[in-house]
Amino acid sequence: MAQLDTLDMLVLAVLLVGTIAYFTKGTYWAVPKDPYASSYGNANGIKGAGKTTNIIEKMDESGKNCVVFYGSQTGTAEDYASRLAKEGSSRFGLKAMVADLEDYEYENLDNFPADKVAMFVLATYGEGEPTDNAVPFYEFVTSDDTSFSEGGGADGNPLNSFQYVAFGLGNNTYEHYNAMVRNVDKALTKFGATRIGDAGEGDDGAGTMEEDFLAWKEPMWASLAEHMALEEREAVYEPVFGITEKEELGPESEEVYLGEPNKNHLEGTSKGPYNAHNPFIAPITDSREIFTVADRNCLHMDIDVAGSKISYQTGDHVAIWPANSGKEVDRFLNVFGLTEKRHRVISVKGLDPTAKVPFPTPTTYDAAVRYHMEICAAVSRQFLSTIAQFAGSEEIKAEMTKLGNDKDYFHEKVSSKHLNIAQVLESTGGPSVWSAVPFSLLMEGHSKLQPRYYSISSSSLVQKDKISITAVVESTKAPGAPHVLKGVTTNYLLALKQKQHGEPNPDPHGLTYALNGPRNKYDGVHVPVHVRHSNFKLPSDPSRPVVMIGPGSGVAPFRGFVQERAAQAKAGENVGKTILFFGCRRRTEDFLYEKEWENWQADLGDSFSLITAFSREGTQKVYVQHKMREHAAELNDLITNKKAYFYVCGDAANMAREVAATLVQILAEGRGITEQKAEEVVKGMRSSNLYQEDVWS
């Protein structure tokens, strides 16, 4: 056999290396990056692994001259931020990017270039608090000892080259209406920054959030265009995302996401910590109806978190991760001509380096719509204007354009009837009309399907591994509307309850759900959850008296409060006066937890008082505030002399306001002071956490 010379050996070595490289491509090298593989890292606090946290550096790298920061709890502020960035790019040629406030540091904002602009879209959460992702930013800019990278404080106007735009999302039923945008605007101005245009404020309490946003942004764009010498041009749709159908993959392929929130869940190796990026798939151990009427539903559920290392404190919130109903998923896919390819695999990537794909891919059209897109949300006029260009006829295009431009016409035809986008377009034709709408536009026009938060109705002292919730199933029929508005999450929970009780085909209110989850990972009766901590807390000293106002499902956290104080009393602790004002329609229909209150009364004795208001049992309606008046002397004594804690949970728009006004009257009369002075007393109670609210609108 001929001996191999050095050249032969070299050639063979090269061939061997090339062969190995070819067959290992995509396995050991050139592996496509999965952005959702880092969700576990994010959950563990490894923020922005491999990414810069310097926003100026990021903007320079990507050639941007505008950044839109958002502070968002439910996704609305994030959606508005995306819309501003998109509009700035298409109408004015801005090189805009969207940025999550928690992804960046702020010490170097004093070096922010004068030829760039920052926009802030900031939601106010709870009682004037920043949203979870905005806490570090808010604490930095409002601190008394803020110091920027060049060492400048407020006296030196360190942000004199920083130009910004601001819009806030708030609710006028809360005392600290739009506190976030107001306080951030004040802080930035204090540091010498220049605001362009007015700071806008949207009001969810009045139901005008979308219209407030639209009314604010037009004069804002005019001011910004003048300030930065921008020229408006005809807006043409430019996709943010590239959608590629993957013919070589099917829904059975192991790398395809079918609704799993991140790679650990995809691979079946889910592990904590569990949070807003990483839910725990928890078994529901008990579910039952606690209304006794056929036309309304209220659910009590117990969720087992044993072994997850999820901890909660009495008064916290639990987040339920829902899925859209099969009925609405089918409607959406049909309207946009996607029914036949609902299970086709797609890959989604950002066409701009700063674009953030809102869900893991590869996935399917069905999974994206079912688990990740808020398809049942209210429609915006702006989205109808955008989608009009893809209508299948000039007549329908004109109708969509009118709906987008005419506020009153839009209210009459769409918003007053609570229609979602598929319901609006269904009336104008099916897939023959709307199949040309790019899926990228549908992604951009729908915010990410968000977890819904519920007040935990159990005590962590009594049942640390079992979280209870109390939820009224939402179903609203608007006058003249062709559809009944169904709560996305509460009807999902109702379907799970039906399944647990042996219904072979759970179908609440004509809706169906994929209750087994992606790849049957929720088999049995499971639901994805995480816990969000709250400031709504009992006093650390159980001997302090507490007064609780909780009509309807607003009684949820107070079930946990009373359960805890009953356990403390049973253990021999000194428990102070515990008064609960509860209201509902009728004792025989919706008196929540009636037997449980009786059991806890036995443990608490005379220290517990349950005061009820049944609004529809007499000739006149009686509410909790009326019962407060009947017990005015005792309430005044507890608050004035015994420093009682006062809690309110439930409807913010009416009940919470009436309760606050009634308390002011009680204190004014009891102390012999003016109502104006009494309002100052209540304000002081709020600031010292003696008056706490867990309310919603």
Side-chain angles (χ1 to χ4, degrees):
M1 182 177 178
Q3 190 172 11
L4 295 173
D5 60 20
T6 303
L7 181 60
D8 293 331
M9 293 292 288
L10 182 61
V11 170
L12 286 172
V14 171
L15 289 172
L16 178 61
V17 170
T19 302
I20 293 171
Y22 178 81
F23 285 106
T24 60
K25 182 179 180 183
T27 303
Y28 297 108
W29 71 283
V31 181
K33 179 172 173 55
D34 178 4
Y36 284 81
S38 63
S39 291
Y40 175 63
N42 291 336
N44 281 278
I46 308 169
K47 183 173 78 171
K51 298 184 197 175
T52 179
T53 58
N54 182 324
I55 187 59
I56 300 171
E57 186 178 287
K58 180 68 174 178
M59 293 176 75
D60 287 343
E61 287 175 357
S62 52
K64 304 300 182 185
N65 61 359
C66 173
V67 56
V68 189
F69 290 110
Y70 65 85
S72 185
Q73 197 72 34
T74 63
T76 306
E78 182 179 0
D79 176 52
Y80 283 5
S82 297
R83 286 162 61 179
L84 286 174
K86 180 81 175 167
E87 189 171 357
S89 173
S90 62
R91 282 180 64 185
F92 298 97
L94 279 171
K95 304 299 181 184
M97 64 174 282
V98 177
D100 187 330
L101 275 170
E102 70 178 351
D103 288 344
Y104 295 92
E105 296 169 351
Y106 321 105
E107 289 84 354
N108 66 342
L109 289 183
D110 54 342
N111 292 319
F112 200 85
D115 61 347
K116 300 182 190 295
V117 66
M119 298 184 177
F120 293 93
V121 184
L122 304 171
T124 298
Y125 165 64
E127 290 302 306
E129 300 158 34
T131 57
D132 291 345
N133 74 314
V135 170
F137 168 74
Y138 184 72
E139 290 178 346
F140 175 78
V141 297
T142 59
S143 171
D144 291 334
D145 57 355
T146 299
S147 179
F148 291 92
S149 61
E150 303 295 331
D155 294 341
N157 288 337
L159 300 186
N160 59 2
S161 66
F162 186 73
Q163 302 177 107
Y164 71 98
V165 165
F167 182 81
L169 295 82
N171 187 316
N172 71 11
T173 60
Y174 291 78
E175 181 185 8
H176 303 285
Y177 173 61
N178 262 310
M180 263 296 284
V181 74
R182 293 179 181 183
N183 292 342
V184 167
D185 181 44
K186 182 179 178 181
L188 293 175
T189 302
K190 180 181 73 173
F191 291 123
T194 301
R195 190 187 69 235
I196 299 172
D198 294 331
E201 295 184 353
D203 187 1
D204 191 44
T208 58
M209 182 73 77
E210 176 70 17
E211 291 301 331
D212 293 338
F213 175 69
L214 296 179
W216 164 80
K217 72 180 181 66
E218 287 309 316
M220 180 277 293
W221 284 128
S223 297
L224 186 64
E226 180 180 358
H227 203 85
M228 296 185 68
L230 303 175
E231 290 188 13
E232 185 170 1
R233 60 191 187 185
E234 183 179 356
V236 178
Y237 174 65
E238 298 172 353
V240 172
F241 303 108
I243 314 293
T244 304
E245 295 186 352
K246 310 289 283 187
E247 300 290 346
E248 71 276 17
L249 296 175
E252 71 286 347
S253 302
E254 62 181 16
E255 67 265 44
V256 174
Y257 290 86
L258 298 181
E260 296 90 348
N262 57 45
K263 194 168 185 177
N264 284 330
H265 282 268
L266 176 68
E267 295 176 345
T269 57
S270 168
K271 52 187 175 181
Y274 297 104
N275 54 28
H277 303 287
N278 186 38
F280 174 61
I281 310 303
I284 296 173
T285 56
D286 181 46
S287 59
R288 64 183 188 272
E289 289 274 3
I290 48 178
F291 280 174
T292 58
V293 288
D295 61 336
R296 293 190 296 145
N297 301 93
C298 184
L299 304 175
H300 174 91
M301 284 187 162
D302 291 328
I303 299 167
D304 187 359
V305 294
S308 68
K309 296 186 178 178
I310 287 178
S311 65
Y312 77 98
Q313 293 180 320
T314 309
D316 281 345
H317 300 130
V318 63
I320 306 293
W321 293 49
N324 287 308
S325 73
K327 181 176 182 179
E328 292 303 329
V329 171
D330 290 347
R331 188 197 312 274
F332 187 93
L333 294 172
N334 181 61
V335 163
F336 293 109
L338 297 170
T339 300
E340 295 301 317
K341 54 180 185 178
R342 66 191 307 158
H343 298 302
R344 190 168 298 174
V345 176
I346 57 173
S347 176
V348 182
K349 71 172 184 177
L351 299 180
D352 182 281
T354 65
K356 186 177 177 183
V357 178
F359 48 77
T361 70
T363 187
T364 64
Y365 289 111
D366 185 283
V369 173
R370 188 178 301 276
Y371 291 103
H372 299 297
M373 295 167 61
E374 199 78 73
I375 62 171
C376 293
V379 186
S380 75
R381 286 199 290 123
Q382 188 175 358
F383 186 58
L384 291 182
S385 294
T386 303
I387 212 170
Q389 63 190 289
F390 299 101
S393 72
E394 288 300 317
E395 181 183 358
I396 295 174
K397 179 180 179 180
E399 174 69 6
M400 289 299 109
T401 302
K402 183 179 181 182
L403 285 170
N405 293 336
D406 188 328
K407 180 172 70 173
D408 294 334
Y409 187 62
F410 175 81
H411 176 75
E412 175 193 346
K413 296 293 186 180
V414 178
S415 61
S416 66
K417 298 177 181 178
H418 306 305
L419 301 182
N420 62 45
I421 185 63
Q423 290 167 347
V424 172
L425 300 187
E426 192 176 46
S427 63
T428 62
S432 60
V433 175
W434 296 110
S435 59
V437 179
F439 193 69
S440 57
L441 176 55
L442 299 179
M443 286 177 57
E444 296 161 34
H446 290 82
S447 58
K448 188 174 181 179
L449 184 61
Q450 296 289 327
R452 270 54 166 182
Y453 292 92
Y454 296 87
S455 300
I456 294 176
S457 55
S458 55
S459 162
S460 56
L461 177 68
V462 177
Q463 49 184 74
K464 69 181 180 67
D465 290 330
K466 186 169 66 174
I467 292 173
S468 298
I469 62 170
T470 308
V472 173
V473 180
E474 297 177 46
S475 181
T476 305
K477 181 74 164 75
H483 305 282
V484 177
L485 178 67
K486 303 294 184 184
V488 172
T489 306
T490 53
N491 282 278
Y492 173 58
L493 292 174
L494 178 57
L496 285 167
K497 176 258 175 186
Q498 291 177 348
K499 180 182 179 183
Q500 188 166 54
H501 287 260
E503 289 275 350
N505 299 297
D507 185 24
H509 300 128
L511 307 175
T512 57
Y513 293 86
L515 298 180
N516 289 337
R519 293 184 169 89
N520 292 320
K521 289 175 180 174
Y522 306 172
D523 198 16
V525 184
H526 288 75
V527 65
V529 302
H530 74 269
V531 165
R532 182 178 70 192
H533 297 295
S534 161
N535 294 322
F536 195 73
K537 293 288 178 284
L538 280 167
S540 56
D541 178 3
S543 68
R544 292 285 293 272
V546 299
V547 177
M548 299 164 287
I549 316 292
S553 61
V555 81
F558 303 136
R559 178 183 182 270
F561 281 18
V562 176
Q563 183 185 42
E564 181 151 319
R565 286 169 79 89
Q568 289 170 328
K570 197 171 184 179
E573 293 190 54
N574 178 23
V575 175
K577 186 66 179 179
T578 305
I579 301 180
L580 171 62
F581 288 85
F582 170 73
C584 63
R585 294 182 182 181
R586 295 180 177 86
R587 180 186 298 272
T588 57
E589 290 184 5
D590 47 5
F591 188 178
L592 302 182
Y593 302 117
E594 180 179 7
K595 299 302 179 186
E596 293 187 15
W597 305 129
E598 293 175 3
N599 294 336
W600 290 323
Q601 175 85 65
D603 295 326
L604 286 163
D606 292 340
S607 67
F608 179 58
S609 297
L610 174 64
I611 299 164
T612 53
F614 301 110
S615 63
R616 300 192 183 183
E617 285 191 350
T619 55
Q620 291 186 324
K621 290 187 177 181
V622 178
Y623 298 113
V624 286
Q625 59 267 29
H626 300 130
K627 291 295 182 178
M628 286 173 62
R629 295 286 306 174
E630 292 177 13
H631 295 265
E634 183 178 18
L635 290 177
N636 179 60
D637 177 58
L638 286 171
I639 291 169
T640 301
N641 301 317
K642 300 183 174 65
K643 304 303 178 187
Y645 280 68
F646 190 85
Y647 300 91
V648 183
C649 183
D651 166 48
N654 299 303
M655 183 276 298
R657 280 186 169 182
E658 292 292 333
V659 165
T662 301
L663 182 61
V664 166
Q665 294 167 4
I666 288 171
L667 294 179
E669 293 168 9
R671 298 186 182 191
I673 58 177
T674 65
E675 288 195 6
Q676 185 176 4
K677 288 282 188 183
E679 286 176 355
E680 291 299 316
V681 172
V682 171
K683 188 174 182 179
M685 289 174 64
R686 290 181 189 272
S687 63
S688 59
N689 273 339
L690 289 172
Y691 190 122
Q692 298 181 31
E693 290 182 311
D694 182 2
V695 294
W696 57 85
S697 60

